[in-house]
Amino acid sequence: LAPPYELLNDRRVPDGNGNIDHIVVAPSGVWLIDSKRYEHGTIEYKFVAGRGGSSMRLLVGGQDRTSLVDQIYAQVIPVAQVLGDPTVPIKPALVFVNAHVSGHMALRLLRSKPYEHLGVLITTRKVLGKKILEPGPLGPERVAAIGQYLDAALPHR
């Protein structure tokens, strides 16, 4: 990424629980990115029947990993509180690196239409890059200012 983009890596979550792998400040918003390397097992997002009925679940190698979405989603409010500006879009994303995605999910990603669960994009690096590059409400000066502010406010892990 080149200006007007700011990239921060491996930052502590403001409430002290865990870390944020990557933060990208772009005209499209502030992206909180949790990257997962899964080289074995297929990534699927589908309806799964359970005791309370069926719901959409994230499966990795057949195992329910929907909690990964919950973890990155839980970082949105602490970062929003640090920013203190509700006009800045905060966009969480769970990104799979070197993963094999299921047939239906692969077709969606080819069309740059990632799944979304609780407002969290479930995607690959390539598709996320396209989403980050979309136009948005933040101008170059604001991107730089937010990047500098978050750099100071969110220490390295």
Side-chain angles (χ1 to χ4, degrees):
L1 297 173
Y5 303 93
E6 300 287 332
L7 174 63
L8 307 172
N9 294 307
D10 199 21
R11 299 305 172 118
R12 231 179 281 149
V13 176
D15 64 7
N17 287 330
N19 76 304
I20 303 169
D21 290 337
H22 312 285
I23 300 172
V24 175
V25 184
S28 57
V30 175
W31 292 84
L32 307 180
I33 304 167
D34 188 11
S35 58
K36 299 293 182 193
R37 183 176 298 276
Y38 284 109
E39 297 179 6
H40 306 289
T42 300
I43 310 296
E44 301 174 279
Y45 184 67
K46 65 181 188 177
F47 275 106
V48 175
R51 292 183 182 162
S54 61
S55 63
M56 293 298 288
R57 307 303 291 173
L58 174 62
L59 305 176
V60 178
Q63 299 292 314
D64 188 345
R65 298 287 186 247
T66 310
S67 64
L68 295 172
V69 175
D70 300 335
Q71 291 167 11
I72 187 73
Y73 181 76
Q75 297 172 358
V76 171
I77 291 173
V79 171
Q81 289 172 335
V82 165
L83 280 174
D85 184 347
T87 67
V88 176
I90 299 177
K91 302 180 176 201
L94 180 60
V95 178
F96 291 96
V97 180
N98 295 339
H100 175 71
V101 295
S102 69
H104 191 262
M105 187 172 190
L107 289 173
R108 283 184 63 104
L109 293 175
L110 282 173
R111 295 189 315 255
S112 295
K113 296 186 180 265
Y115 284 105
E116 190 174 317
H117 185 86
L118 294 176
V120 177
L121 292 184
I122 302 170
T123 189
T124 59
R125 285 186 304 186
K126 183 177 180 180
V127 174
L128 179 62
K130 290 179 183 178
K131 294 294 183 188
I132 290 171
L133 293 173
E134 290 177 354
L138 305 178
E141 292 89 17
R142 196 141 181 239
V143 167
I146 292 169
Q148 290 171 0
Y149 182 78
L150 289 176
D151 189 30
L154 302 175
H156 286 277
R157 185 174 65 115

